[in-house]
Amino acid sequence: MAEQHAEGCLFCGIATGAIPSTRVYEDEKVIGFRDINPGAPTHVLIIPRTHIAGINTPEAEDSAILSALVHAAKQIAQREGIAESGYRLVWNVGPDAGQSVFHLHLHLLGGRKLAWPPG
Ligand code: DGP
């Protein structure tokens, strides 16, 4: 798959390796790396290698990427030892949810009891 990158996009830089990160997972379509400002003992961001701005933008042909993100999350949860204790997958979409980086990313949080509803 040809990777599309957006100029000046932080997570495109992380995907190419131009910007350092602590990677915990990678496959052909997606990578996972530790959040710089973790909200839980495990806080990993899973992103497509190719630039997609957010969950509102994927087209039908991107469905393989969406399933790759979820598949990666399951693998990472296993590796982090939280698959059984539990974890949360979060997509922040737009201003009310506090989305701050406009390259699609799935948050994986776990390793502690997580409150619900979120703030
Ligand atoms: P969101 O609010 O959903 O757009 O989440 C963006 C996340 O990205 C936030 O939890 C902090 C994280 N983040 C921002 N800049 C960097 C960075 O340079 N490196 C890493 N590893 N994470 C970052």
Side-chain angles (χ1 to χ4, degrees):
M1 179 178 63
E3 288 167 26
Q4 310 275 334
H5 298 127
E7 210 175 314
C9 171
L10 173 65
F11 285 0
C12 283
I14 286 178
T16 62
I19 296 170
S21 69
T22 307
R23 271 188 204 205
V24 296
Y25 179 91
E26 56 188 306
D27 66 27
E28 180 200 339
K29 290 191 173 65
V30 309
I31 69 164
F33 56 95
R34 297 202 187 278
D35 194 292
I36 205 166
N37 186 22
T42 291
H43 188 172
V44 172
L45 301 173
I46 307 151
I47 66 169
R49 290 182 185 271
T50 202
H51 186 81
I52 296 172
I55 201 74
N56 283 337
T57 37
E59 305 295 338
E61 60 268 27
D62 293 327
S63 61
I65 289 179
L66 297 181
S67 56
L69 293 168
V70 174
H71 174 75
K74 289 161 59 177
Q75 302 289 313
I76 296 164
Q78 285 284 353
R79 291 180 191 176
E80 296 278 316
I82 57 171
E84 303 304 324
S85 55
Y87 58 95
R88 186 167 293 159
L89 300 179
V90 175
W91 262 298
N92 289 325
V93 185
D96 278 359
Q99 184 181 4
S100 61
V101 178
F102 292 87
H103 177 129
L104 184 65
H105 51 282
L106 179 60
H107 293 256
L108 185 165
L109 297 128
R112 67 169 170 82
K113 191 89 177 157
L114 298 164
W116 189 263

